[in-house]
Amino acid sequence: MANISLQNIEKYFGDNYVIRKLNLDIADCEFVVLLGPSGCGKTTTLRAIAGLETIDSGDILIDGEPVHERRAGDRDIAFVFQSFSLYPHMTVYENIAFPLRAVGMSNAERDKAVKDVAEILRISDLLTRRPSALSGGDMQRVAIGRALVRRPKALLMDEPIGALDAKLREEMRAEIKRLHIARGSTSVYVTHDQIEAMSLADRIVIMHDGILQQIGKPDEVYLKPANLFVAQFVGSPVMNVADIKLKANGDGATLIMGGADDGFAFPQTALGGVNVNSAEIALGIRPEAVLLSHEQINGAMEVATTNIEPLGSHDIVDVQIGEEVLRARTESGFASGEGQRLWVNLDPAQAHFFDRQSGQSLRSDV
Ligand code: ATP
């Protein structure tokens, strides 16, 4: 097992500045997920750790030792790709045993290592099959088994379940987590799927355009996004963002959006230290914090629905406030149709405030 430290790493492909002074410390046995949209530099970062890609400046340390002089094969790190890349002419057993051929083990030791890893991955009954006779999920289990059999210092995974269908992805997510706990390996995992990141990670590293946006535990990045990018990348449906004005009143502020005459009363405690006189404030509010009711409730504003998305377990209902549209999460069937009059309020405890220009959170507790 190992800790991994990225210190100020930079990478260019020609003029394309792909990793921009990235700093990241991954602890021994930690599961870290690199999350971000396509092209943000996740794979390049992972490949740089493995030694499959060079870096232009900065240092990569494994267990405190700089590794840029060490070739990929000498870093004792295993890599699992999205494409399973199994040897088609070998059995599952031979595929898993393959990395052990140069390790100098006795036959009995090798046999035990393969069978142990097959048991953890629940593929013991598939050892005599060839890859062509396996399902996609089982192929990826074999690929992971082959990566783990040497007991590498760290396991790097690049969208390992991205090619599987939704149901299998869900199953494999749980398996990868179980495997990580069973093996206790330091794991770095790349995905653009925020649900995968939230469910697997001890910590999530969110990247955009080669720039680190935020590092935190899943609930930290969800509840305290550092900027608008993180706020809208994590969570589904995406967080509502609306331009607002805050007008100070006795013990807090009135929040006005969409050019409406009326506003929502926010107590001082919910403002998170935001200066009400800041010029351009964007409110971030998740659909579950947009509260709809059929009756007039004190402090709520009357609105009309503009769209309803029935999703089975719940609905997403759009309501118009002045020129803004907010999406609310409701129980199924809550709104009957477009144009229905409802009352809307916001949960001040779940409000986020951002500087519209820089995108940075204005809350002092983030
Ligand atoms: P994806 O999920 O699409 O793989 P990513 O976040 O993993 O995205 P990278 O694959 O790291 O992103 O790519 C980052 C940028 O570097 C992209 O603009 C990509 O086109 C570019 N890039 C990656 N590999 C190379 C290469 N070998 N040569 C030139 N440009 C590259």
Side-chain angles (χ1 to χ4, degrees), residues 13 16 18 36-45 53 158-159 190 192:
F13 286 113
N16 192 358
V18 174
S38 185
C40 72
K42 310 176 295 286
T43 295
T44 307
T45 304
E53 199 68 74
D158 190 1
E159 308 239 12
V190 159
H192 60 265

Side-chain angles (χ1 to χ4, degrees), residues 11 101 177 232 257:
K11 174 70 184 176
R101 73 205 182 290
K177 185 142 197 175
Q232 295 207 284
M257 71 168 71

Side-chain angles (χ1 to χ4, degrees), residues 64-78:
E65 302 249 333
V67 291
H68 30 268
E69 299 293 316
R70 264 196 256 159
R71 291 179 305 124
D74 300 330
R75 292 191 187 187
D76 195 11
I77 278 181

Side-chain angles (χ1 to χ4, degrees), residues 4-10 19-26 58-59 203 205 210 212 215:
I4 300 168
S5 178
L6 309 184
Q7 301 182 343
N8 252 337
I9 67 168
E10 289 184 290
I19 307 176
R20 307 183 181 208
K21 292 195 179 292
L22 176 63
N23 287 288
L24 173 62
D25 284 312
I26 301 167
D59 281 316
R203 281 189 307 154
V205 176
L212 176 69
I215 305 178

Side-chain angles (χ1 to χ4, degrees), residues 48-99:
I49 297 171
L52 300 171
E53 199 68 74
T54 56
I55 52 174
D56 293 308
S57 66
D59 281 316
I60 297 176
L61 282 66
I62 298 178
D63 281 339
E65 302 249 333
V67 291
H68 30 268
E69 299 293 316
R70 264 196 256 159
R71 291 179 305 124
D74 300 330
R75 292 191 187 187
D76 195 11
I77 278 181
F79 206 104
V80 178
F81 300 90
Q82 186 181 68
S83 55
F84 317 122
S85 56
L86 301 177
Y87 300 112
H89 57 288
M90 292 185 188
T91 62
V92 167
Y93 184 102
E94 288 160 347
N95 264 285
I96 296 176
F98 190 78

